[in-house]
Amino acid sequence: MAVKIVIDLQAAPGVFLNDTTAAMMTIANLDKIWVTANVPEKDIAFVFTGQSVNVTFRSYPDKIFEGKVLFVSDVVEPDTRRNKVRIEFENPDKALKPNMFAEARFIAPSVPSRPNCCSAKPETTIGNSCGGKASV
């Protein structure tokens, strides 16, 4: 059975709660964690569900975490011209925490070369310099 922990508490002993729709606490299972990456519109054609992603977190700059793309949004954000991509990671030692900042590198398949164009390497890395934010 997975261990669930309280990650946000909005109540205290003796507090009167009047709003029946307000959350008293947030409980999460951190065995798996999601990173939401903001991928530039020009690169979204190279991102797909199931794709491998290497992510580094500011807290662990020398360690590369490997994850898979779980979801690619159908909508480009109008103000940033970026598309949200959800990446999932195993988190057995609970090193990854909600709201940590990260940088994602998507491993894209090769792009066929065209005449009068430079050829692409067998695998191309799409960097996400704006990073992502880990969320549960």
Side-chain angles (χ1 to χ4, degrees):
M1 184 167 120
V3 175
K4 295 171 180 65
I5 60 168
V6 175
I7 60 171
D8 185 36
L9 184 61
Q10 298 294 322
V15 171
F16 178 74
L17 299 173
N18 194 17
D19 185 356
T20 58
T21 62
M24 290 184 0
M25 67 181 70
T26 303
I27 300 172
N29 176 357
L30 298 179
D31 290 339
K32 291 185 181 184
I33 198 132
W34 293 347
V35 167
T36 301
N38 297 306
V39 177
E41 181 180 19
K42 67 180 182 63
D43 294 330
I44 203 61
F46 302 106
V47 178
F48 54 90
T49 302
Q51 182 175 13
S52 294
V53 184
N54 293 333
V55 175
T56 54
F57 290 84
R58 290 183 184 171
S59 301
Y60 307 103
D62 298 330
K63 186 172 181 182
I64 296 174
F65 294 84
E66 295 179 15
K68 296 278 186 196
V69 172
L70 212 83
F71 169 79
V72 179
S73 175
D74 293 328
V75 179
V76 173
E77 298 293 322
D79 52 341
T80 62
R81 306 306 306 162
R82 294 177 183 270
N83 203 330
K84 293 194 183 300
V85 175
R86 184 180 307 141
I87 307 159
E88 183 177 62
F89 298 87
E90 294 293 330
N91 191 25
D93 58 355
K94 310 296 185 282
L96 304 177
K97 313 284 188 220
N99 299 315
M100 293 174 85
F101 283 99
E103 184 173 315
R105 298 212 176 267
F106 296 80
I107 309 303
S110 63
V111 178
S113 61
R114 294 178 281 166
N116 301 323
C117 182
C118 57
S119 59
K121 296 178 182 177
E123 284 189 338
T124 305
T125 302
I126 301 170
N128 182 9
S129 60
C130 287
K133 195 172 182 182
S135 58
V136 177

